[in-house]
């Protein structure tokens, strides 16, 4: 049974990790599309409309692959996690259904209008289409995060005589205190992905001396929005979510920080290697008392270590949790440094000519994907051994009739299929970037077409 549990967990981890490559970019680009369309509306400059069309094509490719990889993930609730679905379906079914019926159809419908209806919608109507695509994508993110937040901090439910979890308060599910900060933190991570991708494409165009007007627009937009998002990711969203973990999942905080013993004036570990068997942190580089201050705003505050909790309450992969958390925090620090420095160069008028900074922006493209993955690993590994914190253990949520062989067979099949999808996605995005936005010269040479403005 334990072997089957591990394969089911690996199966879901693989499918959701691969799937989330795509939504994080669509949610980030959705905001940037609104930014470009707003610039077009305010300046009446067709340059920004062409820039928006270019990113809309990449958005569409990304959205399509995200849909294809997301559908099997939801089926896994019934195939791999039937016991969990049976027990908690009355609660999580609410938010998952709302995500599909409301936000997904809102996003996909107006994406079609945005891609193919610009001439009929007019300037203002097309802006509204971009806005509603953004609203739909971010609503989708909210319902998914609300589902996860309930699993982290279950509220608004009751357990009947048969052990089934029923929804007692719809609003407690949607607006519990965990969901706000987790949602804000998640969406800022998506915005950073979109900003780094946009800035990187712009940097590529500037370095290769192609489509330079667009390159400047992409770099400027990515850096300005990205600098704000990077700082908000640290404070207040990251800080507030850390406090929630300290208050409601203290064993998770101890594992994330590699704190094996309770301490007053606990240090913040920058680098170190947890040795779970010997219950110690090897080769630590620490800032004295900083963890106590960041968590409780007192330098001498007592922070509970793993020694205060039964071993069966510990996360079962402490080392992986510790490294995931530190990778996320380390990359977040790098994002602040890169984006703030780029913003300063932009303000001084030197960014477009700084090859070193343009190269840095371009080479940073994989990092927000890694950081977002590490962040979700921190959230999911930290909740263990609970599937629903304090209510259902992960071992009790799997499908009892789906064996190890079946799980391995489908996992290997998904790996092969997703490899093909990943290669196709890279090829299509590469082709769009290689073709670039429509050139100013070609459009200026074409006869003008009257476009309605109503």
């Amino acid at each position: 049974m334990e072997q089957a549990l591990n394969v089911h967990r690996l199966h879901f981890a693989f499918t959701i990790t691969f799937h989330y490559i795509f939504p994080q970019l669509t949610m980030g680009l959705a905001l940037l599309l609104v930014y470009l369309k707003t610039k077009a509306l305010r300046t009446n400059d067709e340059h920004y409309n062409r820039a928006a069309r270019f990113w809309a094509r990449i958005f569409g490719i990304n959205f399509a692959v995200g849909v294809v990889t997301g559908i099997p993930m939801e089926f896994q609730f019934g195939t791999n996690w039937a016991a969990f679905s049976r027990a908690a379906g009355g609660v999580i079914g609410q938010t998952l259904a709302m995500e599909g019926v409301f936000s997904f159809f809102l996003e996909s419908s107006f994406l079609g209008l945005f891609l193919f209806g610009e001439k009929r919608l007019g300037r203002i109507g097309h802006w509204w289409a971009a806005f509603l695509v953004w609203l739909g994508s971010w609503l989708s993110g909210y319902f998914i995060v609300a589902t996860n937040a309930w699993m982290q901090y279950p509220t608004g439910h009751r357990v009947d005589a048969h052990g089934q979890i029923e929804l007692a308060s719809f609003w407690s599910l949607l607006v519990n205190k965990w969901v706000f900060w987790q949602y804000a933190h998640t969406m800022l991570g998506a915005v950073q992905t979109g900003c780094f991708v946009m800035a990187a494409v712009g940097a590529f165009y500037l370095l290769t001396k192609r489509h330079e007007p667009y390159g400047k627009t992409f770099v400027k937009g990515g850096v300005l929005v990205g600098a704000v998002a990077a700082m908000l990711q640290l404070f207040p969203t990251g800080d507030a979510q850390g406090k929630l973990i300290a208050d409601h999942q203290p064993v998770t905080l101890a594992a994330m920080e590699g704190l094996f013993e309770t301490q007053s004036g606990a240090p913040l570990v920058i680098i170190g290697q947890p040795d779970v068997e010997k219950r110690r942190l090897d080769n630590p580089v620490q800032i004295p008392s900083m963890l106590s201050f960041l968590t409780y705003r007192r330098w001498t505050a007592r922070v509970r270590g793993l020694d205060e909790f039964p071993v069966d309450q510990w996360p079962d992969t402490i080392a992986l949790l510790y490294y995931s958390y530190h990778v996320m925090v380390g990359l977040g620090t790098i994002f602040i440094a890169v984006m703030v420095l780029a913003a300063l160069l932009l303000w001084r008028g030197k960014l477009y000519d700084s090859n070193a900074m343009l190269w840095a922006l371009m080479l940073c493209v994989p990092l927000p994907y890694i950081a977002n993955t590490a962040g979700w690993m921190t959230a999911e590994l930290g909740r263990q051994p609970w599937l629903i914190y304090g209510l259902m253990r992960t071992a009790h949520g799997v499908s009892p009739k789906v064996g190890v062989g079946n799980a391995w067979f489908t996992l290997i099949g998904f790996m092969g299929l997703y490899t093909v999808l990943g290669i196709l996605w890279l090829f299509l995005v590469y082709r769009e970037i290689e073709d670039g936005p429509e050139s100013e010269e070609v459009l200026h040479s074409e006869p003008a077409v009257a476009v309605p403005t109503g």
Side-chain angles (χ1 to χ4, degrees), residues 117-444:
E118 182 175 0
K119 290 184 179 180
R120 289 190 174 274
L121 291 172
R123 294 172 63 245
I124 296 176
H126 202 238
W127 182 91
W128 275 108
F131 177 82
L132 290 169
V133 167
W134 167 77
L135 181 63
S137 68
W138 281 44
L139 273 176
S140 179
Y142 186 85
F143 290 130
I144 295 300
V145 171
T147 306
N148 186 266
W150 180 80
M151 295 167 67
Q152 300 281 355
Y153 181 71
T155 57
H157 65 275
R158 58 176 172 262
V159 181
D160 67 15
H162 304 288
Q164 304 301 302
I165 304 170
E166 299 177 345
L167 184 63
S169 171
F170 176 73
W171 292 110
S172 294
L173 169 65
L174 278 187
V175 295
N176 79 50
K177 65 180 180 180
W178 197 283
V179 68
F180 175 77
W181 292 114
Q182 184 179 4
Y183 175 70
H185 198 63
T186 300
M187 300 315 291
L188 286 168
V191 170
Q192 288 191 73
T193 299
C195 288
F196 270 104
V197 169
M198 179 174 280
V201 172
F204 171 71
Y205 286 152
L206 291 176
L207 288 168
T208 56
K209 307 297 182 183
R210 298 159 51 199
H211 311 295
E212 291 185 70
Y214 294 100
K216 292 178 180 179
T217 298
F218 299 160
V219 168
K220 182 179 180 179
V223 166
L224 289 178
V225 179
V228 175
M231 290 185 285
L232 292 176
Q233 187 85 341
L234 174 64
F235 184 87
T237 64
D239 177 70
Q241 196 167 357
K243 290 177 182 176
L244 285 173
I245 293 172
D247 291 340
H248 301 286
Q249 297 182 8
V251 64
T252 301
L253 178 68
M256 285 163 50
E257 296 288 353
L259 189 68
F260 288 93
E261 296 180 0
T262 299
Q263 296 184 43
S264 296
L268 181 70
V269 178
I270 306 300
I271 299 174
Q273 299 85 44
D275 187 332
V276 179
E277 290 185 1
K278 296 181 180 178
R279 301 190 180 186
R280 71 184 188 191
L281 200 64
D282 294 334
N283 310 309
V285 176
Q286 303 172 331
I287 303 176
S289 303
M290 183 57 74
L291 179 59
S292 291
F293 178 77
L294 292 176
T295 305
Y296 299 109
R297 296 298 186 261
R298 291 184 291 112
W299 295 103
T300 58
R302 180 175 177 271
V303 182
R304 300 171 71 185
L306 288 167
D307 59 332
E308 286 207 13
F309 304 93
V311 175
D312 66 352
Q313 300 289 329
W314 291 12
D316 49 18
T317 51
I318 289 176
L320 184 57
L321 169 61
Y322 170 89
Y323 287 121
S324 297
Y325 170 68
H326 281 79
V327 165
M328 176 189 68
V329 172
L331 289 177
T333 305
I334 290 172
F335 297 158
I336 294 173
V338 170
M339 283 300 189
V340 170
L341 179 57
L344 287 173
L345 289 173
L346 179 66
W347 177 63
R348 297 181 63 187
K350 298 181 178 180
L351 177 58
Y352 304 138
D353 299 317
S354 174
N355 287 354
M357 195 70 243
L358 294 175
W359 270 103
L361 289 171
M362 198 164 60
L363 294 175
C364 277
V365 164
L367 300 186
Y369 288 99
I370 296 170
N372 279 293
T373 300
W376 275 111
M377 288 176 66
T378 300
E380 298 306 286
L381 294 171
R383 192 180 64 238
Q384 302 303 318
W386 300 100
L387 194 52
I388 308 170
Y389 200 83
L391 287 180
M392 173 183 279
R393 284 183 172 262
T394 305
H396 300 154
V398 297
S399 302
K401 296 184 179 180
V402 179
V404 178
N406 289 328
W408 273 119
F409 177 78
T410 53
L411 175 57
I412 293 170
F414 272 92
M415 287 179 172
L417 178 61
Y418 282 10
T419 299
V420 175
L421 281 173
I423 294 170
L424 177 63
W425 173 71
L426 287 172
F427 168 74
L428 292 174
V429 172
Y430 166 78
R431 191 178 67 175
E432 290 296 337
I433 294 173
E434 187 67 20
D435 290 344
E438 300 170 271
S439 69
E440 303 273 355
E441 293 76 17
V442 170
L443 281 171
H444 286 165

Side-chain angles (χ1 to χ4, degrees), residues 30-52:
L31 179 64
L32 293 168
L33 284 174
V34 175
Y35 163 81
L36 290 171
K37 290 301 296 182
T38 302
K39 293 282 286 185
L41 200 60
R42 293 183 63 184
T43 63
N44 201 26
D45 187 345
E46 187 62 20
H47 167 84
Y48 292 105
N49 281 324
R50 289 192 290 272

Side-chain angles (χ1 to χ4, degrees), residues 64-91:
V65 181
V67 171
V68 170
T69 56
I71 291 172
M73 186 184 68
E74 298 215 10
F75 277 109
Q76 283 188 294
F77 286 120
T79 56
N80 297 59
W81 300 94
F84 165 68
S85 298
R86 189 180 307 113
V91 177

